[in-house]
């Protein structure tokens, strides 16, 4: 039976990733920049946004604006981004941004700050919407538009890609049409791996939805900064201990409108200081991890 899923992966014989300086863990921070690309009738959508906000369980308004939702998203671009930016800049920590192209268009100040800080700006697609049932041709058009806008506003095409709410066609479209160094549209492993099912092999640098501030905005999630810090620390400690013999990567996902709130940002700051106090920790951008993997574990 030809089953299209890989349920085995590396198994018990995972490769030693050979992180630089014999690091026990590759630590990677993602700042998602989506504000201004979410569902909104101002953007030509049929309904308002209902996902990942302080209004847990929000319902979309059909053919109407949701002003409270809009202002929650606006907090991310107006205030939350800058708080997170300060946290990472003060500690000189490299960051990858998953940037929605339409959102970047609406705030060139944050683009300038990302570029000045030498943050990797990866593509988060053209829109911050769910592509599960979007026709394939529309998804292709959005990918092409995302790359075009990204290059226009940042000065270079994106090397990494994370659509997020993907369709069954996304991996194939990314592999055959994207021209990216890596995709992050996977949660299947703790090390990069190759997908070889398409004409062009696709390097996956997996992301995470558990070590992610999105759980502040979902049922059975974090409800205070202490919970977030505790989960970050426990995840780090487990992977750091395992890194003595089997190093892996730890991805941390942050959103400007979520982790950018003061009561959550202090938890992020506590974790940054905790992790940076450890030896043999490689703090890297996703593109750095992808390039390292390509150099040491090229597709055969």
């Amino acid at each position: 039976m030809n089953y299209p899923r890989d349920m085995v992966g590396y198994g018990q014989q995972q490769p030693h990733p050979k992180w630089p300086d014999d690091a026990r863990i590759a630590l990677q921070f993602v700042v998602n920049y989506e504000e201004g690309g979410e569902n909104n009738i101002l953007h030509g959508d049929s309904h308002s946004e209902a996902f990942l906000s302080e209004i847990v369980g929000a319902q979309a308004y059909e053919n109407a604006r949701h002003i409270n939702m809009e202002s929650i998203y606006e907090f991310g671009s107006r205030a939350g981004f800058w708080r997170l930016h300060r946290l990472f800049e003060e500690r000189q920590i490299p960051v990858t941004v998953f940037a929605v192209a339409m959102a970047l268009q609406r705030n060139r100040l944050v683009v300038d700050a990302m570029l000045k800080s030498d943050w990797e700006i990866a593509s988060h697609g053209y829109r911050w919407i769910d592509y599960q049932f979007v026709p394939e041709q529309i998804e292709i058009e959005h990918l092409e538009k995302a790359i075009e806008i990204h290059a226009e506003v940042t000065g270079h095409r994106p090397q990494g890609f994370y659509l997020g709410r993907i369709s069954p066609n996304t991996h194939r479209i990314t592999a055959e049409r994207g021209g990216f160094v890596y995709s992050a549209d996977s949660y299947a492993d703790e090390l990069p791996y190759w997908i070889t099912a398409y004409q062009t092999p696709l390097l996956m640098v997996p992301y995470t939805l558990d070590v992610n501030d999105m759980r502040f905005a979902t049922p059975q999630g974090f409800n205070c900064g202490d919970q977030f810090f505790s989960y970050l620390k426990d995840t780090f400690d487990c992977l750091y201990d395992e890194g003595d013999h089997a190093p892996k990567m730890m991805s941390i996902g942050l959103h400007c409108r979520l982790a950018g709130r003061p009561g959550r940002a202090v938890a992020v700051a506590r974790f940054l200081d905790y992790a940076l106090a450890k030896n043999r920790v490689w703090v890297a951008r996703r593109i750095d991890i992808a390039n390292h993997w390509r150099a040491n574990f090229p597709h055969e």
Side-chain angles (χ1 to χ4, degrees):
M1 177 180 176
N2 185 20
Y3 190 59
R5 300 167 63 197
D6 180 0
M7 309 302 294
V8 177
Y10 294 121
Q12 288 183 302
Q13 304 301 319
Q14 73 159 62
H16 192 294
K18 308 173 187 174
W19 299 139
D21 299 321
D22 195 29
R24 296 172 65 149
I25 185 172
L27 185 59
Q28 205 287 300
F29 295 93
V30 168
V31 171
N32 291 270
Y33 191 78
E34 301 155 348
E35 291 80 3
E38 76 277 11
N39 285 293
N40 193 314
I41 63 170
L42 298 177
H43 306 159
D45 302 306
S46 63
H47 56 277
S48 64
E49 186 56 68
F51 192 48
L52 290 192
S53 81
E54 302 299 327
I55 311 173
V56 179
Q59 299 299 309
Y61 293 168
E62 294 292 330
N63 300 312
R65 293 175 63 186
H66 192 321
I67 302 302
N68 284 343
M69 183 66 73
E70 289 181 16
S71 67
I72 289 171
Y73 269 74
E74 288 159 15
F75 175 89
S77 61
R78 293 164 57 111
F81 170 82
W82 298 108
R83 178 168 288 115
L84 294 178
H85 185 264
R86 286 193 298 272
L87 288 181
F88 288 108
E89 276 294 276
E90 288 169 358
R91 295 162 178 81
Q92 291 297 292
I93 295 175
V95 169
T96 290
V97 182
F98 287 163
V100 173
M102 180 182 281
L104 291 180
Q105 276 185 310
R106 301 187 190 283
N107 194 339
R108 300 300 178 96
L109 286 178
V110 301
V111 176
D112 291 342
M114 295 171 192
L115 293 172
K116 186 177 180 180
S117 299
D118 197 28
W119 288 7
E120 177 200 2
I121 310 177
S123 178
H124 199 359
Y126 172 56
R127 297 291 316 282
W128 172 231
I129 60 175
D130 190 343
Y131 282 85
Q132 175 68 32
F133 300 110
V134 170
E136 180 174 352
Q137 187 56 41
I138 299 297
E139 184 174 347
I140 291 172
E141 292 173 7
H142 279 201
L143 173 64
E144 293 172 348
K145 188 174 291 188
I147 295 171
E148 178 184 349
I149 293 172
H150 193 107
E152 174 193 340
V153 299
T154 71
H156 54 80
R157 89 183 304 283
Q159 295 182 286
F161 184 67
Y162 174 72
L163 188 59
R165 290 179 279 176
I166 66 176
S167 78
N169 302 313
T170 301
H171 285 168
R172 175 171 48 80
I173 293 172
T174 304
E176 296 178 356
R177 294 176 175 269
F180 298 106
V181 174
Y182 72 90
S183 167
D185 277 312
S186 170
Y187 316 100
D189 214 304
E190 294 166 335
L191 287 174
Y193 64 93
W194 291 93
I195 289 180
T196 59
Y198 311 116
Q199 185 174 359
T200 302
L202 181 62
L203 178 63
M204 307 302 294
V205 181
Y207 189 42
T208 177
L209 298 182
D210 69 313
V211 193
N212 193 309
D213 67 358
M214 68 176 288
R215 294 178 67 84
F216 281 110
T218 59
Q220 201 273 307
F222 308 125
N223 60 36
C224 68
D226 285 345
Q227 291 181 346
F228 191 34
F229 171 76
S230 179
Y231 195 80
L232 289 170
K233 180 179 178 297
D234 286 349
T235 302
F236 178 90
D237 287 347
C238 177
L239 293 174
Y240 190 80
D241 288 344
E242 292 178 2
D244 185 52
H245 60 279
K248 302 179 182 71
M249 60 179 289
M250 177 180 175
S251 296
I252 299 172
L254 306 172
H255 297 75
C256 301
R257 62 191 176 279
L258 296 177
R261 294 283 178 178
R264 298 165 185 152
V266 293
V268 176
R270 285 171 60 199
F271 175 74
L272 295 178
D273 294 337
Y274 175 80
L276 291 177
K278 299 285 189 177
N279 296 318
R280 295 173 62 190
V281 176
W282 181 37
V283 186
R285 304 172 304 174
R286 293 185 93 75
I287 187 61
D288 302 323
I289 294 173
N291 286 334
H292 174 87
W293 203 263
R294 282 179 170 271
N296 289 275
F297 304 94
H299 172 257
E300 297 178 359

